[in-house]
């Protein structure tokens, strides 16, 4: 079995996890399978290869890339996936329709499967070890690039609310500098769906220089950043089912962050009191007193 795949990993999940590393001939097959999940369950290997514009040899390599011993095992997995509780539909036909309700249901199903697949990975991960690292850390730094920067800042805010010191810089250069001020008592948490970023590699190298622990939340545990990290929390992002080459979803990463937040909250003796103080500090901003007066007179 291919490293990183659990026995119950769906065919779709395997394709999405390996897609970026597939050669073009195998990507043709991957694109066809993702676009026609219902049809391929009844097709032979040769039919899939021809319909996708690829070759029988590429189909054989594609099966191996997904971690299957042969097409028979792939067919069994397709049959199993077809009987799963989550509905699988042809994405091309879904988005060509004018029925908004069907599109909403399809996107919801994809998002739910993202979370379900991520949860499966977390159950076999070192999540509890990560929680302990943050609990015992002097400081936890969250770092990302692109749209992951705002996710990192949001993560730091949530962790701080539970009573543990956390921060996130607004630039990767800032993260690199702050990483140099860490110590063996501190933790660096990287947020990167792809697991590839030269700027984040620099952040990790600086953290390693001072002996800080490094955790990464990513889809790609065998990526460069995944290999550099001490602990990998694997996610499963299904953007390609919705928008092909547009990477936008932070859904699985936010799930991991919120799970860590909940676990930290219930392990903290100060979280409840801090939440009360935070609400008091925000009282004037929300102007709850006026809301109450308005409700009372209405």
């Amino acid at each position: 079995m291919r490293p990183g795949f659990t026995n119950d990993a769906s065919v779709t999940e395997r394709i999405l996890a390996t897609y970026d590393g597939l050669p073009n001939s195998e990507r043709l097959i991957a694109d066809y399978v993702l676009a026609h999940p219902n049809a391929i369950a009844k097709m032979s290997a040769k039919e899939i290869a021809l319909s996708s514009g690829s070759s029988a040899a590429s189909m054989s390599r594609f099966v191996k890339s997904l971690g299957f011993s042969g097409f028979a095992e792939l067919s069994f997995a397709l049959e199993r996936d077809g009987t799963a509780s989550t509905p699988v539909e042809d994405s091309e036909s879904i988005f060509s329709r004018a029925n908004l309700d069907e599109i909403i249901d399809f996107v919801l199903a994809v998002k739910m499967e993202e979370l379900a697949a991520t949860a499966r990975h977390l159950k076999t991960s070192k999540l509890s070890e990560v929680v302990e690292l943050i609990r015992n850390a002097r400081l936890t730094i969250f770092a990302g690039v692109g749209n992951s920067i705002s996710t990192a800042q949001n993560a730091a805010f949530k962790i701080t609310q539970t009573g543990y010191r956390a921060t996130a810089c607004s630039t990767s250069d800032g993260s690199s500098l702050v990483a140099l001020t860490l110590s063996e008592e501190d933790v660096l948490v990287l947020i990167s769906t792809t697991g590839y970023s030269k700027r984040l590699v620099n952040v990790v190298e600086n953290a390693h220089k001072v002996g800080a622990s490094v955790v990464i939340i990513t889809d790609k545990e065998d990526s460069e950043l995944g290999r550099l990290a001490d602990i990998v929390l694997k996610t499963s992002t299904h953007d390609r089912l919705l928008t092909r080459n547009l990477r936008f979803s932070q859904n699985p990463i936010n799930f991991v962050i919120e799970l860590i937040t909940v676990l930290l909250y219930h392990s903290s003796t100060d979280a409840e009191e801090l939440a009360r103080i935070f609400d008091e500090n925000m009282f004037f901003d929300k102007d709850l007193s006026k809301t109450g007066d308005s409700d009372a007179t209405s």
Side-chain angles (χ1 to χ4, degrees):
M1 192 65 65
R2 184 184 177 88
F5 289 135
T6 57
N7 290 333
D8 59 350
S10 69
V11 174
T12 296
E13 186 178 347
R14 292 165 186 264
I15 292 174
L16 295 174
T18 59
Y19 189 93
D20 290 337
L22 295 176
N24 290 335
S25 58
E26 292 180 44
R27 284 192 183 188
L28 289 173
I29 301 171
D31 289 337
Y32 185 82
V33 172
L34 291 176
H36 306 88
N38 293 328
I40 60 167
K42 302 176 182 178
M43 298 171 67
S44 67
K46 183 178 180 179
E47 288 172 332
I48 295 174
L50 291 174
S51 297
S52 64
S54 191
S55 65
S58 295
M59 183 65 196
S60 179
R61 290 191 294 269
F62 174 73
V63 171
K64 300 290 185 182
S65 295
L66 298 189
F68 295 113
S69 59
F71 184 75
E73 189 178 3
L74 170 61
S75 296
F76 176 81
L78 288 169
E79 184 176 352
R80 180 199 63 198
D81 294 348
T83 59
S85 57
T86 302
V88 179
E89 301 194 50
D90 295 350
S91 58
E92 288 186 354
S93 60
I94 283 290
F95 288 105
S96 65
R97 298 173 188 166
N99 190 327
L100 181 59
D101 287 351
E102 289 183 323
I103 294 175
I104 291 173
D105 288 341
F106 178 69
V107 174
L108 176 61
V110 171
K111 290 296 165 185
M112 290 175 65
E113 180 53 31
E114 275 187 334
L115 296 182
T118 298
R120 288 194 293 270
H121 292 306
L122 291 177
K123 288 178 180 179
T124 59
S125 72
K126 296 183 178 180
L127 179 62
S128 59
E129 189 174 333
V130 172
V131 172
E132 280 302 303
L133 282 174
I134 295 175
R135 284 189 65 222
N136 297 318
R138 181 181 63 92
L139 176 67
T140 299
I141 293 181
F142 289 85
V145 294
N147 68 350
S148 293
I149 291 177
S150 60
T151 304
Q153 292 174 322
N154 182 46
F157 185 84
K158 283 181 166 64
I159 300 306
T160 301
Q161 282 185 294
T162 66
Y164 300 94
R165 296 182 67 236
T167 189
C169 296
S170 59
T171 66
S172 56
D173 287 341
S175 296
S176 294
L177 288 173
V178 174
L180 285 171
T181 70
L182 297 178
S183 70
E184 294 179 357
E185 299 176 347
D186 300 319
V187 179
L188 168 66
V189 180
L190 301 174
I191 296 175
S192 174
T193 299
T194 64
Y196 291 97
S197 168
K198 291 181 179 179
R199 285 173 288 177
L200 287 183
V201 167
N202 187 48
V203 177
V204 175
E205 290 175 344
N206 286 349
H208 279 321
K209 289 176 184 177
V210 295
S213 298
V214 178
V215 177
I216 185 170
I217 305 173
T218 182
D219 273 19
K220 312 293 184 183
E221 59 188 340
D222 59 347
S223 62
E224 182 177 14
L225 289 172
R227 291 189 294 271
L228 289 173
D230 300 309
I231 299 177
V232 176
L233 296 181
K234 181 172 169 54
T235 53
S236 185
T237 305
H238 293 184
D239 286 344
R240 202 172 295 280
L241 294 177
L242 302 173
T243 53
R244 294 296 295 272
N245 295 319
L246 174 64
R247 304 287 180 85
F248 70 94
S249 180
Q250 297 292 310
N251 193 40
I253 290 175
N254 280 323
F255 174 64
V256 176
I257 291 168
E258 293 188 3
L259 184 55
I260 291 173
T261 301
V262 170
L263 293 172
L264 287 171
Y265 178 89
H266 287 285
S267 66
S268 171
T269 57
D270 303 323
E272 189 66 32
E273 179 64 11
L274 284 169
R276 184 189 66 77
I277 294 172
F278 179 78
D279 284 343
E280 286 182 354
N281 290 334
M282 293 299 293
F283 191 84
F284 78 94
D285 183 61
K286 297 180 182 298
D287 207 7
L288 297 178
S289 59
K290 287 188 177 182
T291 301
D293 292 341
S294 176
D295 291 341
T297 57
S298 61

